[in-house]
Amino acid sequence: MKADNTQTNNKPKNKRSLALSYTSLPIVLAFYYAVVVNIPLYNDFYKILSGLDNVHISFIIAIPLFIFLLNSIIFSVFSWPYIGKPIFSLLLITSSMVSYVMLFYGINVDYGMIENAFETDVSEAASYLNLHSFTWVTITGVIPAILVALVPMKPGLGLLKKAISIITLFALLLFLLFFTYKDFSAVGRNNSYLKKMILPGYYVYSTYHYVRDTYFSTPMTFKHIGEDAKIVVKNADPKVNEKPTLFFFILGETARSQNYALNGYAKNTNPYTEKQDVISLQSVHSCGTATAVSVPCMFSQQGRHDYDKQRSYNQDNALDILQRAGVSLLWKENDGGDKEVAKRIPKVQIDRSHDNQFCNGGTCLDMALLQGLDSEINAMKGNEKLVVMHLMGSHGPTYYLRYPKAQQKFLPDCQSSEIENCSTDQIVNTYDNTIVYTDYVVSQAIDKLKALSNQYNTALLYLSDHGESLGENGLYLHGVPYAVAPDFQTTVPLILWMSDGFKKSKNIDESCLKKAAKNGDFSQDYVFSSLLGIMDVQTTAYDKNLDIYQACRS
């Protein structure tokens, strides 16, 4: 009986030995972040240090130690009963997601990427899910989060012990920096982006600012601009202006200029539009490296350098002014949304739930945008008409879903969203196939305009929102901060097509426009005034210096 009592008394002690205190839990978590979660940061450090002539071993050891001490302090601040475990569990899961895209796609998750993630739709977000990403997040995020949720905690906070722990950790961090500050500052000064890679710091900071700005900031007063807008026909010959205008603005997705044969790419990715007498502008720069920035920015009066999201959302854009002037508008959507640009104009969303020749499995090919277009154009009121079509284009990583088998021109391609498991040639071939299919869609839109040229003076402008990285310098997809983004993500294709009647009605010198396309330097800052100008809308909001067509209109 005595022996039984001894055995019973020992059990609670064994259970208590597995418990963690609110002081020790942050230390354990910080160690895990230093060893596992921040692998993407160490990967970049390795590339940087490999290129240096002399690197002290003490600095190499100091890097994970710095991460450990920094996170230990931060985690200790949030280690409290009832709130500590939920916060840490959520951090582990989200950090594993961020770690995955950083390591395998080379993407730094800053404010712009957080904005893009919050504003993407379910179908677009699902394209990033695959066995590889699911396994990574499960092993490095979900399982550790479950362990944190289940680990028993010792009763009591031990406030004095916690305070001493934080002070000690802070002192150790200062001690470490005292001896290694020169190394950290030298590497950091030349590679300032590294601070954005420290997990979980920067993406949490960016998320906080996005949520604050979007949901808790004081609403701005909506500002009307271009209230004096009116259509003023500039051609002196009334016979030329007998027909109204029909203009297609095709908004591309994730297409980069470097992979366009029209712009010098070695592979023939433009077999359809090359036969359509189009004009391709050789040097065009995007406003951002993600849809959430580029789309509202290009339709805004603001340029890239002074673009502000809240101001853009609370101010008339080019489409609002066109509509006020009397231009009939329609927005057709097949991507992740119009980003508030089409909030005040008629809009049609492609129904991805259908299962037909263009839609399957929750995604639709861009030819679906041309279905029913004739009747939709006929239903538009007024003479001057502008239709915006937002493509799914070349959105990755599921590039292979953006084109049908008939457009599988370049092989072998990558029939998977796990592009990290495909060769560079496969990834590029798959991406180039998306460019070919977009080229086909644009060409079909031009054919439709040609068929309507007896009724309208017709024209088309195709422009992508941003570019894409396909493995250059270890980067994939897009969303790199603009200041350090490669040209592959910021240089985009812009293609013009005009019927003879349109050129005459708008007094356009085609040879002049072709020369400007070859030698000029343009950006998405030109979209706002170019749309107003080409639709003959007169307003003080218009800037002739930012109109692509203006210099070539007599």
Side-chain angles (χ1 to χ4, degrees):
M1 193 72 179
K2 190 174 181 180
D4 289 341
N5 286 337
T6 303
Q7 187 177 4
T8 302
N9 292 336
N10 286 338
K11 286 182 180 179
K13 292 181 180 178
N14 290 334
K15 288 183 178 179
R16 283 197 297 270
S17 66
L18 296 173
L20 292 175
S21 68
Y22 289 99
T23 302
S24 59
L25 178 59
I27 306 298
V28 174
L29 283 172
F31 179 78
Y32 179 70
Y33 268 80
V35 173
V36 177
V37 180
N38 276 284
I39 287 176
L41 174 65
Y42 303 146
N43 185 53
D44 270 49
F45 259 114
Y46 173 77
K47 294 175 183 177
I48 293 167
L49 299 181
S50 296
L52 301 179
D53 295 329
N54 185 26
V55 180
H56 297 289
I57 187 66
S58 59
F59 178 53
I60 296 175
I61 297 172
I63 295 169
L65 189 56
F66 171 80
I67 301 299
F68 168 72
L69 292 172
L70 180 65
N71 280 334
S72 293
I73 296 169
I74 295 172
F75 293 158
S76 294
V77 173
F78 293 96
S79 184
W80 299 94
Y82 305 111
I83 67 168
K85 281 190 174 186
I87 290 175
F88 296 145
S89 296
L90 179 62
L91 276 181
L92 283 164
I93 294 173
T94 54
S95 294
S96 68
M97 295 176 179
V98 174
S99 177
Y100 178 84
V101 299
M102 287 171 62
L103 183 61
F104 294 102
Y105 297 144
I107 297 174
N108 288 343
V109 182
D110 61 355
Y111 187 98
M113 283 304 298
I114 294 297
E115 179 182 30
N116 216 37
F118 270 87
E119 297 183 8
T120 192
D121 64 6
V122 175
S123 177
E124 188 175 326
S127 67
Y128 292 89
L129 300 178
N130 52 59
L131 181 61
H132 195 238
S133 63
F134 178 79
T135 302
W136 176 275
V137 173
T138 299
I139 294 175
T140 66
V142 176
I143 292 176
I146 292 173
L147 292 176
V148 167
L150 296 179
V151 66
M153 301 299 293
K154 293 178 181 178
L157 280 174
L159 291 176
L160 179 60
K161 183 179 179 181
K162 185 175 181 178
I164 293 173
S165 175
I166 293 176
I167 293 171
T168 303
L169 289 167
F170 190 72
L172 289 172
L173 182 62
L174 292 177
F175 181 78
L176 176 70
L177 290 176
F178 179 79
F179 289 101
T180 58
Y181 179 77
K182 181 179 178 180
D183 295 300
F184 274 112
S185 62
V187 173
R189 189 179 298 113
N190 296 321
N191 306 277
S192 59
Y193 73 93
L194 289 172
K195 64 183 179 184
K196 298 181 180 181
M197 297 185 68
I198 300 175
L199 297 174
Y202 199 78
Y203 86 88
V204 172
Y205 170 83
S206 298
T207 302
Y208 162 74
H209 279 274
Y210 173 80
V211 172
R212 183 200 65 184
D213 294 346
T214 305
Y215 302 106
F216 297 100
S217 60
T218 303
M220 294 180 65
T221 301
F222 192 92
K223 181 181 179 182
H224 290 291
I225 61 174
E227 292 185 291
D228 58 340
K230 59 182 179 180
I231 296 175
V232 179
V233 178
K234 298 178 180 179
N235 199 309
D237 186 353
K239 294 181 180 180
V240 176
N241 294 309
E242 288 178 355
K243 289 187 293 186
T245 298
L246 175 60
F247 193 97
F248 284 177
F249 185 104
I250 299 185
L251 178 54
E253 171 66 44
T254 322
R256 69 187 207 180
S257 181
Q258 292 88 347
N259 287 54
Y260 267 63
L262 292 172
N263 296 337
Y265 189 48
K267 294 158 70 174
N268 187 11
T269 51
N270 302 114
Y272 302 101
T273 56
E274 70 175 2
K275 301 173 184 176
Q276 295 282 20
D277 193 27
V278 298
I279 299 173
S280 180
L281 279 66
Q282 303 296 299
S283 178
V284 181
H285 309 285
S286 67
C287 190
T289 60
T291 306
V293 175
S294 286
V295 171
C297 180
M298 74 170 72
F299 288 96
S300 168
Q301 189 184 38
Q302 304 170 62
R304 180 177 72 82
H305 294 288
D306 61 348
Y307 173 73
D308 177 80
K309 173 188 171 183
Q310 293 302 319
R311 190 148 53 96
S312 172
Y313 282 14
N314 291 281
Q315 180 174 294
D316 285 325
N317 59 47
L319 301 183
D320 297 320
I321 298 173
L322 287 167
Q323 183 169 249
R324 181 179 298 126
V327 178
S328 185
L329 300 172
L330 175 65
W331 182 291
K332 296 198 72 174
E333 179 64 49
N334 190 37
D335 196 7
D338 61 276
K339 309 306 178 187
E340 302 285 324
V341 173
K343 189 175 183 179
R344 294 168 292 276
I345 69 169
K347 177 182 171 183
V348 173
Q349 176 74 52
I350 300 299
D351 188 350
R352 298 178 184 174
S353 65
H354 290 171
D355 188 1
N356 53 42
Q357 61 175 323
F358 298 128
C359 301
N360 184 33
T363 186
C364 293
L365 297 172
D366 286 323
M367 275 299 293
L369 289 164
L370 300 185
Q371 284 190 308
L373 190 55
D374 289 330
S375 60
E376 289 165 341
I377 292 171
N378 288 333
M380 296 171 71
K381 306 299 181 182
N383 287 330
E384 307 302 298
K385 300 179 181 181
L386 188 149
V387 179
V388 181
M389 287 176 271
H390 192 189
L391 308 183
M392 179 64 81
S394 303
H395 200 290
T398 50
Y399 302 121
Y400 69 101
L401 296 178
R402 310 296 171 233
Y403 55 91
K405 293 290 184 181
Q407 300 292 349
Q408 202 174 8
K409 181 175 181 178
F410 302 109
L411 295 170
D413 58 358
C414 179
Q415 291 288 312
S416 170
S417 63
E418 300 179 31
I419 58 174
E420 64 274 14
N421 295 326
C422 295
S423 69
T424 300
D425 286 344
Q426 287 177 309
I427 295 170
V428 173
N429 283 340
T430 314
Y431 181 82
D432 286 343
N433 286 336
T434 69
I435 301 297
V436 171
Y437 185 65
T438 294
D439 194 63
Y440 172 73
V441 174
V442 172
S443 180
Q444 288 294 300
I446 292 173
D447 285 342
K448 185 169 289 294
L449 288 173
K450 286 180 176 179
L452 293 170
S453 289
N454 288 331
Q455 300 172 245
Y456 301 95
N457 292 318
T458 57
L460 175 147
L461 186 155
Y462 164 79
L463 172 65
S464 180
D465 57 352
H466 54 77
E468 185 87 326
S469 287
L470 300 174
E472 299 87 5
N473 298 316
L475 293 177
Y476 293 90
L477 305 179
H478 52 267
V480 172
Y482 204 98
V484 295
D487 289 342
F488 297 113
Q489 294 190 28
T490 61
T491 308
V492 293
L494 195 161
I495 296 171
L496 306 175
W497 176 86
M498 300 165 290
S499 68
D500 290 337
F502 184 87
K503 285 180 281 189
K504 290 178 182 178
S505 69
K506 303 297 181 179
N507 297 312
I508 293 176
D509 182 342
E510 187 174 14
S511 61
C512 168
L513 200 54
K514 287 181 177 179
K515 183 177 180 181
K518 182 179 180 181
N519 302 319
D521 191 36
F522 301 93
S523 73
Q524 290 176 346
D525 292 357
Y526 283 74
V527 170
F528 180 89
S529 288
S530 294
L531 289 179
L532 295 177
I534 204 62
M535 298 304 290
D536 291 325
V537 172
Q538 181 177 293
T539 171
T540 53
Y542 168 79
D543 183 351
K544 68 178 182 179
N545 296 316
L546 292 175
D547 182 348
I548 293 171
Y549 302 94
Q550 176 57 33
C552 298
R553 296 181 69 180
S554 59

